[in-house]
C-alpha cells in the first residue's frame, strides 16, 4: 500500500490548537512511490490523509469551541542524499504530481495555515520552482523555506523542545548523516531564510 512509502505523521497540536503535520523528505522516493502504485491509489491515499487532517481540525472546534485556522505543515529536508535524483524524479513525474496537487487544491483549498520547509540547501529551490507552479497563490503566501530551523517554527510549536520532539517522531535513518535540524540560536535560524511572500 501507498502508506508504506508515505513518511508523514500527525505530530499533535500546537499551543493554539492547530494540528501539526510532519514529513521527513529523505524518506520518500518520489519515483518509487509513483511507479509502484497506481495514480488513483496515490490520489485516494492523499485524500485520506487530508481527511485525517480535517478531522483533527474538527476536533479542535469540538474541544475548544473556536474554529481552527488550519494545519501547520512541516517538511524537513535533512538527510536527503541526492537532490539531483529528486530534481530528476520531480521532472519525470511532473504530470502525476500536478494532478495530485490539483485534486488537493480543489477539494481542500483552505486546509493549510502555515508551511515550514526546514534545512533546505540552495539546490532545493530548483525542486521548489517546479512544485510551486502547481500551488495556488494562497498556499504560496503561507510557505517559508529555511536553510535551518527558523525561530518562527519554535514560536508556533511552543519552543525548541517542542520542535525537537516533533523531529524525533521520524528519526533519520542510518547513513543519512547529521540531520542538522537541532534547534539553533536566532542568528543560525535566520540565515538564508526565504519566504515566498510577506503574507
Amino acid at each position: 500500500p501507498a502508506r508504506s512509502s508515505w513518511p508523514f505523521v500527525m505530530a499533535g497540536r500546537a499551543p493554539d490548537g492547530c494540528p501539526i503535520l510532519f514529513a521527513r523528505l529523505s524518506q520518500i522516493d518520489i519515483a518509487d512511490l509513483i511507479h509502484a502504485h497506481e495514480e488513483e491509489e496515490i490520489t485516494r491515499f492523499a485524500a485520506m490523509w487530508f481527511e485525517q487532517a480535517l478531522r483533527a481540525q474538527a476536533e479542535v472546534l469540538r474541544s475548544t469551541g473556536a474554529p481552527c485556522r488550519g494545519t501547520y505543515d512541516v517538511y524537513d529536508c535533512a538527510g536527503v542524499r541526492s537532490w539531483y535524483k529528486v530534481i530528476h524524479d520531480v521532472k519525470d513525474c511532473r504530470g502525476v504530481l500536478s494532478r495530485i496537487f490539483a485534486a488537493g487544491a480543489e477539494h481542500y483549498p483552505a486546509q493549510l495555515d502555515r508551511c515550514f520547509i526546514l534545512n533546505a540547501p540552495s539546490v532545493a529551490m530548483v525542486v521548489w520552482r517546479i512544485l510551486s507552479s502547481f500551488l495556488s497563490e494562497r498556499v504560496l503566501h503561507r510557505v517559508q523555506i529555511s536553510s535551518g530551523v527558523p525561530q518562527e517554527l519554535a514560536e508556533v510549536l511552543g519552543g525548541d523542545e517542542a520542535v525537537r520532539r516533533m523531529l524525533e517522531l521520524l528519526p533519520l535513518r542510518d547513513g543519512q548523516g547529521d540531520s542538522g535540524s537541532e534547534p539553533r540560536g536566532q542568528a543560525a535560524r535566520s540565515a538564508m531564510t526565504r519566504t515566498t511572500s510577506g503574507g
Side-chain angles (χ1 to χ4, degrees):
R3 181 69 184 94
S4 62
S5 305
W6 194 263
F8 292 68
V9 294
M10 298 293 294
R13 295 184 193 172
D16 63 4
C18 288
I20 304 163
L21 281 62
F22 174 53
R24 188 168 289 289
L25 298 183
S26 63
Q27 294 179 13
I28 185 170
D29 186 316
I30 295 171
D32 179 67
L33 173 65
I34 289 178
H35 294 150
H37 306 283
E38 295 291 334
E39 181 176 340
E40 181 180 355
E41 179 187 358
I42 299 172
T43 303
R44 185 170 61 250
F45 183 80
M48 290 172 59
W49 180 255
F50 289 136
E51 289 291 338
Q52 183 178 356
L54 284 180
R55 288 194 295 272
Q57 293 177 60
E59 177 58 32
V60 173
L61 176 60
R62 286 194 295 269
S63 61
T64 67
C68 178
R69 296 193 309 274
T71 60
Y72 294 136
D73 292 10
V74 184
Y75 299 88
D76 189 0
C77 298
V80 174
R81 293 176 179 174
S82 175
W83 280 101
Y84 297 101
K85 181 182 186 306
V86 175
I87 292 169
H88 174 272
D89 289 351
V90 168
K91 289 181 176 179
D92 187 52
C93 302
R94 185 195 302 256
V96 176
L97 291 172
S98 67
R99 290 189 290 274
I100 293 172
F101 276 67
E106 178 181 359
H107 298 291
Y108 309 94
Q111 178 164 292
L112 177 71
D113 185 64
R114 293 184 69 180
C115 176
F116 297 89
I117 301 176
L118 317 180
N119 299 306
S122 297
V123 69
M125 297 305 292
V126 178
V127 178
W128 173 246
R129 282 195 290 272
I130 299 171
L131 296 180
S132 62
S133 66
F134 308 149
L135 302 174
S136 68
E137 285 298 318
R138 178 189 180 279
V139 170
L140 292 176
H141 290 170
R142 294 167 186 267
V143 176
Q144 178 175 328
I145 305 176
S146 305
S147 64
V149 179
Q151 175 64 31
E152 292 85 349
L153 179 62
E155 293 172 354
V156 163
L157 298 192
D160 287 349
E161 184 58 33
V163 175
R164 187 174 292 105
R165 288 195 302 269
M166 177 194 67
L167 296 174
E168 290 175 350
L169 291 173
L170 290 172
L172 284 169
R173 294 172 177 167
D174 291 344
Q176 290 184 329
D178 180 13
S179 70
S181 55
E182 288 297 310
R184 296 189 277 274
Q186 176 65 38
R189 285 195 180 104
S190 300
M192 291 179 62
T193 298
R194 296 174 287 269
T195 309
T196 59
S197 169

